[in-house]
Amino acid sequence: MGIKGRIRILGTPAEEGGGGKAVLIRAGAFEPRDDVAAAIMAHPLPKHMTGSFSGLAAADLIATNMFRVEFRGRSAHAGGEPWSGTNALDAAVSAYNSISMLRQQIHPDERLHGIIESGGTVPNVIPDYTRMNWFARTPTTEQGNKLLARVHACIDAAATATGCSVNYIPSETYKHIIGNRTLCETYVEDMASFGDNIAIKSNQPFTVSTDMGNVSHEVPSFHGGYKRVA
């Protein structure tokens, strides 16, 4: 067709844990921005996500804030001298319970889920160290920042109540996807010429995330999906 340009295929590891594309952004993989016409990603989808269509141009994926949190206290013999200990497991349990109660007061399209990764060693020693792993999912990155502040308040309160110190270990924030409308419409038209019936976007957001969202905040993008054939 005589259109000048360049197509680059980027391998982006650690999509679901590590934020490989966010690392690539910081490393300059999408520079200079003015020279990038489009960034496109596609993913197989189960049939119930595409309905009667053979695929989606813009999968509407949400934001996720991910972090670990450490509580540090002081060990002591749980039977002989418990008053000398500062129980880091109590801090983790208190934080978990507070966040569980917070779930009653969040929006229906928000998600909070976490686990205790390290909770102590043996029952007769008061744990001086615990570690939790948390995900906070929201439709937009800005909404996620507000929810994250409420989650941190629960965690900080648990540390204060138990006398433990607290340390946050943040991971890459996965921003929500911005599907460029013009790119999506062009993709739908082009795929129709191959006989594929593609929806421009999903009817409702999928409660999953990808670091492609970070790319979509930097350059025109969309995250497409195609029906997986069993």
Side-chain angles (χ1 to χ4, degrees), residues 88-102:
L89 181 57
D90 282 350
V93 170
S94 178
Y96 189 92
N97 287 338
S98 293
I99 294 170
S100 292
M101 287 186 285
L102 175 62

Side-chain angles (χ1 to χ4, degrees), residues 57 181-200 222:
R181 183 77 182 188
T182 301
L183 288 178
C184 292
E185 291 175 346
T186 302
Y187 175 69
V188 169
E189 293 173 1
D190 287 347
M191 293 303 291
S193 67
F194 293 99
D196 285 318
N197 182 25
I198 304 295
I200 287 183
F222 73 85

Side-chain angles (χ1 to χ4, degrees), residues 84-222:
S84 297
T86 303
N87 198 319
L89 181 57
D90 282 350
V93 170
S94 178
Y96 189 92
N97 287 338
S98 293
I99 294 170
S100 292
M101 287 186 285
L102 175 62
R103 288 190 183 105
Q104 300 176 67
Q105 316 303 143
I106 64 176
H107 292 279
D109 54 5
E110 296 177 335
R111 300 287 187 272
L112 288 171
H113 32 277
I115 60 170
I116 298 175
E117 292 184 322
S118 177
T121 54
V122 292
N124 63 330
V125 175
I126 291 174
D128 62 352
Y129 175 81
T130 54
R131 186 180 66 251
M132 309 181 79
N133 192 354
W134 285 100
F135 284 15
R137 301 183 189 269
T138 50
T140 68
T141 308
E142 293 75 18
Q143 191 173 335
N145 292 334
K146 294 178 181 178
L147 180 59
L148 192 62
R150 298 173 70 190
V151 173
H152 282 189
C154 294
I155 292 169
D156 294 341
T160 299
T162 58
C164 292
S165 63
V166 61
N167 176 52
Y168 291 94
I169 308 172
S171 296
E172 294 287 353
T173 296
Y174 285 12
K175 297 181 179 181
H176 68 279
I177 287 277
I178 301 174
N180 183 278
R181 183 77 182 188
T182 301
L183 288 178
C184 292
E185 291 175 346
T186 302
Y187 175 69
V188 169
E189 293 173 1
D190 287 347
M191 293 303 291
S193 67
F194 293 99
D196 285 318
N197 182 25
I198 304 295
I200 287 183
K201 67 175 298 182
S202 52
N203 292 328
Q204 59 185 9
F206 302 144
T207 51
V208 294
S209 309
T210 171
D211 53 7
M212 185 63 189
N214 300 56
V215 177
S216 75
H217 285 252
E218 303 294 329
V219 297
S221 309
F222 73 85

Side-chain angles (χ1 to χ4, degrees), residues 56-68:
L56 299 171
D60 197 0
L61 307 180
I62 65 176
T64 299
N65 284 284
M66 297 171 284
F67 66 94
R68 285 180 167 85

